[in-house]
Amino acid sequence: MRKFILQRLASIVVTLWLLATIVFMLVSVLPGDVGRKVLGPTAPKEDVAAFNAQLGTDKPLFEQYVKSMKRVFTLDFGTSYQTRSSVSDIIFPALGRSGKLAVLAFIFTIPISIFAGIYAARRKDKLADRVIVNAGLASSSIPEFVTAAVLLAVFAVELGWGKAFANPPDGTSLFGQLEYLWLPAMAMAIAYFGYIARMTRAGVITALNADYTRTATMKGMSSSQVMRRHILRNALAPTITVISVQIGYLIGAVIGVERVFNYSGLGSTMLGAVGAHDVPVLQGAVLLVGIVYMLSTLLADLLIAFLNPRVRLETTR
Amino acid sequence: MSDLEQPPADPDEVISSPGIDMFVPGHAPTNAPLNERKQARRENWRLIRRRPAFLFGVFILTVWVICALLGERITPHDPLDFRAGSHLSPRWEFPFGTDATGRDVLSRVMAGARDVLRIAPLAAFLGVLFGVILGMLMGYLRGWFDTVASRIVEAFLALPVVLIALLAVTTLGSSSWVVTGVVAALFTPIVARTVRSAVLAERDLDYVTSARLRGESNLFIMFREVLPNVMGPIVVELTVRVGYAVFTVATLSFIGAGPPPPSPDWGAQVSENYNSIISGFWWTTFFPAAAIASLVIAVNMIADSVQSVMEAS
């Protein structure tokens, strides 16, 4: 068990290094003079040169690469080109805001979609199953920004049940923030309903047909007990994996939803950083998404092993 | 379980198709002679065609393909003509209303099919092509190449696709060729991982060993012996990827990395107009958004039908 965790952590470090390198390569070929872009077209030439010298963006690429990797591994993401404040002060609060949205989205979507998946599996090929499967297919295939725009039009504008600008003013109580956050969270929840429901359905169908389920039923266990003790424990493993893979995605790729609702989360931060050529912010944000993604998949693997000890035995055999 | 997923055989069709009794549908041996394989393929095709979801998806897709091919020749107005009043609500002359500059939304939605349909299928095809080559090399050769490539693939999978695409499009410009190439490049590692695991299951089977003993080259074994046997997951991957490509291309043009403004691209239309929803002009955003949704759903219904039939066999 400890060996497993250590191995995974080591592979996370290697993957992060590759991730940082890919991002560095992509941003360092971005055309244009960083100082010129940040200071604007009217700034005097000398100022631009001084700015570039201060940032080190006039140094050879390899030197910049070594410096940037050093920063990555000391978790010091440097200072923003644009605002000159520490990158950590920008990306961590943004991650917090995106995280809040993601948690709310999961609270909306997980119970409903797991229940729908179980319900569909028990009525396989009947009308309810068809409806749930196709609704899930539709919900997970529509881009989030499309759902977000429709929710915005219907609920925030026509019905007045939410806010079109999702940033709550400072000092809003946690409960008061709900009014601001529920619509964008709903847009994300709808996008993930399909994945989770379909995964749960597939897992439950497999478990329902398994020998251990028949044995449990034949030895006289009540059907609710069979469901809880035998079917769900086995069926939820793939669902947990899917949820964990979606966590990174939820936090990183909510760019569309955050843009529609003008919400200043990590997605908007990254979008802004691309436009402004703000390499340190971009690099920090993408790495942060990578770390969250990999830690959540590791946690999911541990949770699956905890729920179903047989998984662990099978891997050591 | 797999038998339950297939609709019961239609007696008429069994009679009308010669040689149906030569094999059990869905259980054709994978390295069977060519004509049996062809029959298995025909049988899969028949099962796919029977699914209502498939027919519905094909119907919607056909409508959009016609719009894309004929474009301005069938739109009721010129999609770039701004002489109508601005923000007219939907009415007989403009069934989807007009936008802020007085252009007909219906005509723009119809003409907008062209951009996404030109980019998405090609991007998906190229992504699958490169993914198959990479995955095949990884799974068949193993060794250090597989180790290194697997790490890189994993790093790519941890990156938000849309963000990297945006980054690359900002770097290289937003011509449709760049968008196609970027989406293809981002799909390559995803496809490679699927193909790799399919190849791993094949590489130690007897037919590969005997081909090796016969002295065939690695290239021959990979693409003439192994490839036909992993075609199932590849076809599924291709249909699924087309759906994702539509999704990605639409999202990219929504966040500003698509075709430049006067073009009636759907994502760009949503991006231009969503701020006016608050003023009550819902139709300028709603119809292009609905168009994106209908196309993605149609492609996914086709992909889903192909997947259920392929996986049952």
Side-chain angles (χ1 to χ4, degrees), chain B residues 33 96 109 136 142 237:
Chain B
F96 289 2
V109 166
M136 185 69 82
R142 303 298 312 272
E237 197 63 32

Side-chain angles (χ1 to χ4, degrees), chain B residues 27-45:
Chain B
H27 291 277
T30 44
N31 49 358
L34 203 65
N35 60 338
E36 269 182 50
R37 203 187 280 152
K38 214 182 261 171
Q39 249 167 17
R41 206 154 43 209
R42 214 176 296 147
E43 181 62 18
N44 275 342
W45 175 230

Side-chain angles (χ1 to χ4, degrees), chain A:
Chain A
M1 189 63 164
R2 216 172 70 192
K3 196 178 153 206
F4 170 76
I5 296 177
L6 284 177
Q7 250 174 12
R8 282 292 293 266
L9 286 176
S11 99
I12 285 178
V13 171
V14 175
T15 312
L16 273 182
W17 167 66
L18 277 166
L19 199 60
T21 307
I22 294 171
V23 174
F24 178 85
M25 273 169 17
L26 277 170
V27 288
S28 57
V29 292
L30 276 174
D33 179 336
V34 177
R36 178 59 68 200
K37 213 150 191 170
V38 174
L39 296 179
T42 53
K45 230 182 219 156
E46 301 77 50
D47 285 8
V48 172
F51 188 74
N52 278 336
Q54 190 198 334
L55 293 177
T57 44
D58 54 350
K59 299 263 167 50
L61 267 188
F62 184 72
E63 208 171 308
Q64 287 188 47
Y65 174 73
V66 172
K67 215 176 112 192
S68 121
M69 288 304 120
K70 236 183 241 164
R71 283 210 312 259
V72 167
F73 282 95
T74 49
L75 283 184
D76 160 28
F77 297 116
T79 52
S80 157
Y81 288 170
Q82 221 183 349
T83 61
R84 317 255 175 111
S85 52
S86 154
V87 171
S88 307
D89 289 349
I90 298 174
I91 58 177
F92 284 103
L95 175 71
R97 283 190 290 270
S98 288
K100 214 158 33 180
L101 213 52
V103 168
L104 198 56
F106 274 134
I107 292 176
F108 288 156
T109 204
I110 290 179
I112 295 178
S113 44
I114 289 185
F115 179 79
I118 296 171
Y119 189 84
R122 301 186 72 169
R123 281 165 188 70
K124 188 167 174 292
D125 293 330
K126 297 217 175 79
L127 182 67
D129 177 37
R130 287 271 149 261
V131 169
I132 290 172
V133 166
N134 285 313
L137 187 63
S139 88
S140 58
S141 54
I142 301 173
E144 294 89 348
F145 75 89
V146 171
T147 323
V150 171
L151 288 180
L152 175 71
V154 174
F155 290 97
V157 179
E158 287 299 315
L159 300 170
W161 288 357
K163 300 282 185 196
F165 294 93
N167 281 326
D170 287 334
T172 314
S173 69
L174 202 61
F175 193 71
Q177 291 183 6
L178 268 181
E179 196 192 346
Y180 290 84
L181 296 180
W182 82 271
L183 274 176
M186 195 52 105
M188 284 152 69
I190 289 174
Y192 296 108
F193 168 80
Y195 292 112
I196 301 174
R198 278 154 63 96
M199 222 54 214
T200 310
R201 175 181 177 273
V204 171
I205 286 175
T206 313
L208 277 173
N209 291 327
D211 288 343
Y212 57 77
T213 305
R214 199 177 42 199
T215 311
T217 314
M218 290 205 312
K219 79 181 183 198
M221 274 173 99
S222 73
S223 69
S224 74
Q225 250 182 331
V226 176
M227 200 67 198
R228 246 190 351 238
R229 307 246 324 246
H230 292 271
I231 295 178
L232 286 188
R233 262 176 188 250
N234 287 290
L236 287 185
T239 309
I240 293 170
T241 309
V242 168
I243 293 174
S244 77
V245 171
Q246 297 302 332
I247 286 175
Y249 189 79
L250 256 180
I251 293 175
V254 291
I255 299 176
V257 173
E258 289 186 357
R259 182 156 173 218
V260 170
F261 285 94
N262 293 293
Y263 188 68
S264 50
L266 207 54
S268 312
T269 306
M270 292 192 283
L271 203 55
V274 170
H277 208 308
D278 201 337
V279 180
V281 172
L282 191 59
Q283 206 168 30
V286 172
L287 283 175
L288 205 55
V289 174
I291 294 174
V292 170
Y293 169 82
M294 283 182 276
L295 287 181
S296 60
T297 44
L298 174 62
L299 267 181
D301 285 352
L302 294 177
L303 186 61
I304 290 168
F306 173 77
L307 273 181
N308 187 352
R310 216 178 39 179
V311 170
R312 213 169 13 201
L313 290 177
E314 272 174 9
T315 51
T316 48
R317 199 183 293 159

